[in-house]
Amino acid sequence: MSADANHEGLTFMSTQIAEDTREATLSLAPLCRSAELERGWGEALWLEATQLALFRTEEDAFYATSHHCPNSGAKVMARGILGDTMVEGTSVATVACPLHKEVYRLDTGECLNADSLPLPVQRLMEIEGQLWMEQSK
């Protein structure tokens, strides 16, 4: 895929499939300034009636997940314990649910230490100090 145009936060992508060209619109929702998030901590956020948890790791990586615990539905993930673990020789950022201590990868949502539903994750982009969340339309 290649970006064809960028207009006021919207990027239009074209994909050549056989002889057809299909247009998909990628919308970016503004969240907050990256400097507003404390290192090693999470914050809860409402975005269009959805509760999210935003995280800034000690290494200045940013992640967004559902604020709801996948097992109980409790709105607690922003208060989870940030960390990292080795997965196949690579260090990955994690968050542990503060209720039952399930450990989730922040990049994929996969639970690493229990047979648990995945934690829904969202893609973020940082552009000139502003965090944006990708939304497909």
Side-chain angles (χ1 to χ4, degrees):
M1 275 193 228
S2 63
D4 289 334
N6 190 340
H7 301 283
E8 297 181 30
L10 297 178
T11 302
F12 300 95
M13 309 290 274
S14 293
T15 303
Q16 195 74 22
I17 302 173
E19 302 252 331
D20 289 338
T21 300
R22 308 233 184 246
E23 297 290 328
T25 303
L26 176 66
S27 175
L28 299 177
L31 299 180
C32 66
R33 304 289 301 168
S34 56
E36 294 175 312
L37 296 176
E38 186 177 339
R39 282 187 181 98
W41 196 248
E43 294 292 340
L45 165 77
W46 277 96
L47 179 66
E48 298 177 8
T50 301
Q51 290 191 20
L52 299 171
L54 296 180
F55 301 98
R56 180 180 186 176
T57 68
E58 294 291 340
E59 294 76 27
D60 287 329
F62 299 93
Y63 297 94
T65 71
S66 172
H67 186 43
H68 298 263
C69 167
N71 291 311
S72 69
K75 301 168 191 137
V76 296
M77 293 309 294
R79 295 297 163 245
I81 303 161
L82 286 179
D84 58 74
T85 192
M86 295 299 285
V87 176
E88 297 177 0
T90 302
S91 179
V92 296
T94 60
V95 63
C97 177
L99 295 179
H100 303 106
K101 308 300 184 251
E102 293 96 345
V103 177
Y104 298 93
R105 288 180 64 148
L106 286 171
D107 59 348
T108 66
E110 175 188 5
C111 185
L112 297 175
N113 69 336
D115 186 20
S116 172
L117 295 171
L119 177 65
V121 297
Q122 302 292 327
R123 287 195 42 155
L124 291 183
M125 290 199 276
E126 183 182 24
I127 303 170
E128 297 179 1
Q130 173 71 41
L131 290 178
W132 300 84
M133 187 176 83
E134 292 183 9
Q135 297 177 314
S136 295
K137 290 189 177 186

